[in-house]
Amino acid sequence: MKTDIRSMSQNELTELLSELNQPKFRAAQIFKWLQSGVETFDQMTNIPKPLREVLAEKCYIANVEIVKRLESKIDGTVKYVYKLFDGEYIESVLMKYEHGYTVCISTQVGCRMGCSFCASGLEGLFRNLTASEMLAQIMKAQIDNNIRVSNVVMMGMGEPLDNFDNSVKFLQLVSDQDGLNIGLRHISLSTSGVVSGIEKLKEYGFPITLSISLHAPNDNIRNSIMRVNKKWNIDSLLKACRDYQKVTTRRISFEYALIDGVNDTPECADELAKRLKGIMCHVNLIPANPVKENNFKKPDKQKIIRFCDRLIKNGVNATIRRTLGADIDASCGQLRRKVKEGDFCEDLQ
Ligand code: SAH
Ligand code: SF4
């Protein structure tokens, strides 16, 4: 089987090239090419042809192919549907903020966590993405729009901590100064609460923002919408967050999708505030986005504002997230696995 060369670090490339009796500087050159988004070895113009040929025999360069590009008429957000080498499809979203461009990347094809409000997990997990496939989503967006991406959120399809090794490799590569050079402080990793993964991630001490998809103030409600809570309940999740924060000293972000009649009462806000005491954090309130397979609705605007105000009154730093790309199904929880090209955005137009 050929080696996935875009997933290799500079040290791993140096080792590979020394096995091929090549000098060290070649590894640095090849790393730069790979991380700049080249798609073939022949594009590496300062590498001798015979070496390019040997590399092409032993390795492959993972790419993603744009099969659909949808631009929101409301806010300019762009959703990409990418095809992978094996015919699977994933989605990424490019958003423009005042401080620059952010890409929301997928980390898996599908997801096995099965949260009841989310489209990504409807059919379960098909496979993990490699680090190179995560990087390629950013490279393609940069090249397609002739821009530099400054921020990344691992909040697309998939559970990054259920694909732990590839997610860690991605974080190391994307922040390499000779690569995409996106600082870890500009990266958020969102998890539904895989406690074992949070504990392992802590050991790396990455200064990323950890985002926790909490969505409920107690185990009763959380069990009813998130299967993962039956394995790791809220107490164990919040303990992992406290321990994580001791190491990274970074503010934790809690995501809370407000679902009408499920988790949106004033009592829920009070209970949530109580549970988050002592954690330096920010709560992101996301009015639940519609997914046609479930009946969840977002509460009305007044209720959302009241929930937010109540958290703030209780001393919690909270904001309501602006919805981007609503007209192109690019919002949280709306990214789904496509099986064939005809499946794309059937509800558009
Ligand atoms: N698997 C990871 C990251 C991807 S999901 C996680 O769950 O955190 C990205 C965010 O979208 C999560 O906070 C998720 O809970 C939220 N989300 C999923 N479905 C949603 C929906 N229908 N409306 C609003 N947010 C949703
Ligand atoms: Fe998976 Fe996250 Fe969707 Fe849950 S919310 S099913 S963990 S992608």
Side-chain angles (χ1 to χ4, degrees):
M1 215 173 77
K2 289 193 178 188
T3 305
D4 169 15
I5 193 168
R6 215 201 289 279
S7 287
M8 292 177 98
S9 65
Q10 299 217 47
N11 285 343
E12 287 164 341
L13 274 174
T14 306
E15 235 171 75
L16 173 79
L17 284 150
S18 88
E19 280 165 23
L20 300 173
N21 299 318
Q22 294 291 325
K24 201 172 165 186
F25 74 91
R26 289 275 178 236
Q29 286 177 320
I30 293 168
F31 184 81
K32 279 192 184 141
W33 281 118
L34 290 167
Q35 299 300 322
S36 73
V38 292
E39 303 199 343
T40 65
F41 290 101
D42 281 336
Q43 286 173 276
M44 302 181 176
T45 45
N46 59 358
I47 305 297
K49 195 153 192 278
L51 177 56
R52 281 187 255 152
E53 285 169 0
V54 174
L55 289 175
E57 259 170 47
K58 292 184 172 301
C59 310
Y60 73 96
I61 303 176
N63 289 314
V64 295
E65 181 196 335
I66 302 175
V67 290
K68 194 124 192 169
R69 180 188 194 278
L70 293 161
E71 188 161 343
S72 164
K73 293 190 184 73
I74 307 172
D75 51 47
T77 295
V78 180
K79 177 162 93 167
Y80 288 101
V81 179
Y82 292 128
K83 189 174 185 173
L84 307 177
F85 76 94
D86 56 355
E88 290 288 350
Y89 298 98
I90 52 166
E91 297 180 328
S92 302
V93 181
L94 172 70
M95 295 159 283
K96 188 171 186 331
Y97 291 102
E98 266 158 37
H99 57 261
Y101 286 94
T102 297
V103 174
C104 174
I105 62 162
S106 293
T107 55
Q108 296 180 313
V109 181
C111 179
R112 64 183 179 130
M113 312 311 287
C115 307
S116 57
F117 44 79
C118 174
S120 300
L122 285 170
E123 296 180 73
L125 175 68
F126 288 83
R127 74 167 172 91
N128 285 328
L129 295 189
T130 58
S132 52
E133 288 169 329
M134 297 183 210
L135 292 165
Q137 296 172 56
I138 304 167
M139 292 165 184
K140 260 281 150 55
Q142 288 201 152
I143 294 168
D144 190 46
N145 297 281
N146 198 17
I147 50 149
R148 185 180 132 68
V149 168
S150 55
N151 294 65
V152 176
V153 294
M154 301 168 81
M155 290 190 185
M157 197 186 342
E159 167 52 59
L161 297 185
D162 190 37
N163 182 12
F164 189 85
D165 293 345
N166 290 322
S167 294
V168 164
K169 195 76 193 266
F170 164 78
L171 289 170
Q172 288 164 335
L173 287 169
V174 77
S175 57
D176 192 303
Q177 288 183 351
D178 295 324
L180 285 169
N181 191 20
I182 301 175
L184 291 168
R185 284 171 197 280
H186 297 270
I187 300 179
S188 296
L189 181 150
S190 180
T191 176
S192 56
V194 177
V195 167
S196 59
I198 298 170
E199 286 168 349
K200 272 200 284 175
L201 191 66
K202 181 181 70 183
E203 304 304 322
Y204 290 84
F206 293 136
I208 56 170
T209 299
L210 181 66
S211 260
I212 304 287
S213 299
L214 192 59
H215 305 320
N218 59 52
D219 287 327
N220 264 348
I221 299 177
R222 201 162 192 265
N223 281 337
S224 73
I225 52 176
M226 298 180 77
R227 274 203 305 234
V228 63
N229 200 64
K230 295 193 177 143
K231 178 141 187 177
W232 292 289
N233 65 13
I234 297 185
D235 272 346
S236 68
L237 176 56
L238 295 182
K239 178 184 183 305
C241 290
R242 290 192 169 88
D243 294 346
Y244 185 90
Q245 187 156 69
K246 271 186 212 141
V247 174
T248 64
T249 65
R250 303 269 299 162
R251 190 167 80 160
I252 290 178
S253 174
F254 288 96
E255 312 293 303
Y256 195 102
L258 279 164
I259 310 171
D260 191 37
V262 174
N263 60 1
D264 59 345
T265 62
E267 293 73 39
C268 284
D270 292 346
E271 202 177 351
L272 179 63
K274 217 185 254 168
R275 292 202 91 142
L276 296 182
K277 273 241 154 67
I279 305 180
M280 183 176 55
C281 66
H282 175 262
V283 173
N284 250 321
L285 296 170
I286 318 167
N289 292 307
V291 172
K292 65 173 187 289
E293 286 81 355
N294 65 46
N295 295 318
F296 293 144
K297 283 199 324 262
K298 63 179 178 210
D300 64 50
K301 215 169 170 182
Q302 278 314 310
K303 220 167 172 188
I304 295 171
I305 293 170
R306 276 205 301 271
F307 194 95
C308 187
D309 287 347
R310 190 117 179 176
L311 283 177
I312 294 170
K313 218 178 81 211
N314 279 313
V316 177
N317 198 328
T319 47
I320 301 166
R321 187 185 282 169
R322 192 160 61 101
T323 302
L324 290 174
D327 55 335
I328 53 170
D329 271 3
S331 306
C332 297
Q334 294 188 312
L335 305 187
R336 60 176 69 224
R337 175 172 178 264
K338 304 290 189 297
V339 185
K340 51 187 192 300
E341 297 204 11
D343 284 352
F344 300 138
C345 297
E346 58 275 43
D347 25 17
L348 263 183
Q349 279 114 38

